Amino acid sequence: MNVVSNDGSVVALVPAAGRGVRLGESTPKAFVAVGGTPMVRLAVDGLIASGAVDRVIVMVPAEFVDSAVALLPPSDSVRVVVGGAERVDSVRVGIAAAPDAGYFLVHDAARALTPPALIARVAAELRAGKPAVVPALPVVDTIKSVDALGGVTGTPDRAGLRAIQTPQGFAAGLLRDAYVAEGVAATDDAGLVELLGTRVHTIPGDPLAFKITTPLDLLLAHAVLDGADIRRAVGRT
Ligand code: C5P
């Protein structure tokens, strides 16, 4: 494991440097407003409201640094840095910006409505000694593997499948080790940790931690924030 001084603090890394083309908006996804507030601000507010995060580092496109600084809470604990070409590049930048972190929570800006209580649960599992923790939900659809022509090649047993959310939590040295190799490819951070042979633990996720990816997701997010009761439940009143 990388030997880096470790002050035991929980540092949240928020990748917000994607273009978000699937959302069909002209602004990068993290800067699209939900209920009047940009997603990246909602995500950072949720992390702070969890009470479990000491610092937040937000990775944004180079030309959005100034607007990110302006829209995020003015705090010494929140820092904005320039992200990279791919999500892994953005996370790598965030890791490098926190050499003294004890734990990392990697949390997509696109999961803007994640309840603070879920964030706190991930951090608590880390502090209790789990090296890698991810929120997981049972899948409701049947999942099939297909070949390049769209022919079905298999139907894994749904009972053994989970949809994985963020924040994904890691002992800091473990995540640093997982990101040592250049050119690594994975759709989530836990995937890189799994490649090291480390066991990743799941905890129950939350439907409100869904990733806002398509226009339908955006509509759903607006509807969620329109419901005052749900707004209270996710700590955003
Ligand atoms: O595209 P996708 O929804 O998988 O992106 C997940 C998160 O990663 C988003 O919050 C997005 O802004 C972020 N990202 C990033 N840097 C990139 C690409 C995506 O920070 N180059």
Side-chain angles (χ1 to χ4, degrees):
M1 187 182 278
N2 275 328
V3 180
V4 182
S5 64
N6 170 350
D7 67 2
S9 61
V10 176
V11 176
L13 305 179
V14 182
R19 298 284 150 191
V21 286
R22 286 169 294 181
L23 202 54
E25 303 269 341
S26 51
T27 337
K29 180 163 72 173
F31 293 83
V32 171
V34 178
T37 307
M39 282 188 222
V40 64
R41 171 72 197 240
L42 288 170
V44 170
D45 284 351
L47 287 161
I48 294 170
S50 76
V53 172
D54 298 297
R55 278 179 292 148
V56 183
I57 299 173
V58 186
M59 291 77 78
V60 302
E63 65 278 26
F64 278 82
V65 169
D66 290 346
S67 39
V69 169
L71 66 82
L72 289 171
S75 161
D76 289 345
S77 312
V78 180
R79 196 173 148 201
V80 176
V81 297
V82 177
E86 304 291 337
R87 185 183 179 283
V88 280
D89 303 315
S90 296
V91 175
R92 187 176 280 113
V93 169
I95 292 171
D100 51 354
Y103 307 94
F104 284 117
L105 295 185
V106 189
H107 186 42
D108 288 336
R111 297 189 188 269
L113 304 187
T114 302
L118 176 61
I119 297 164
R121 283 203 299 279
V122 173
E125 293 287 339
L126 289 176
R127 289 206 180 276
K130 298 275 195 314
V133 182
V134 299
L137 287 179
V139 292
V140 290
D141 293 314
T142 294
I143 308 289
K144 292 191 187 291
S145 55
V146 294
D147 61 23
L149 298 174
V152 171
T153 56
T155 307
D157 179 8
R158 193 168 67 182
L161 297 175
R162 295 290 181 273
I164 301 301
Q165 305 178 315
T166 74
Q168 298 194 348
F170 306 95
L174 178 63
L175 191 65
R176 286 190 199 104
D177 284 352
Y179 269 87
V180 161
E182 286 293 333
V184 288
T187 53
D188 75 340
D189 306 285
L192 297 176
V193 166
E194 290 155 38
L195 292 176
L196 296 180
T198 302
R199 187 171 164 84
V200 175
H201 295 267
T202 61
I203 63 167
D206 191 303
L208 287 170
F210 70 99
K211 185 162 76 168
I212 301 168
T213 306
T214 66
L216 182 61
D217 298 328
L218 195 55
L219 199 62
L220 177 61
H222 279 289
V224 167
L225 284 189
D226 272 350
D229 290 346
I230 299 178
R231 226 186 140 100
R232 258 193 302 282
V234 299
R236 292 190 175 80
T237 47

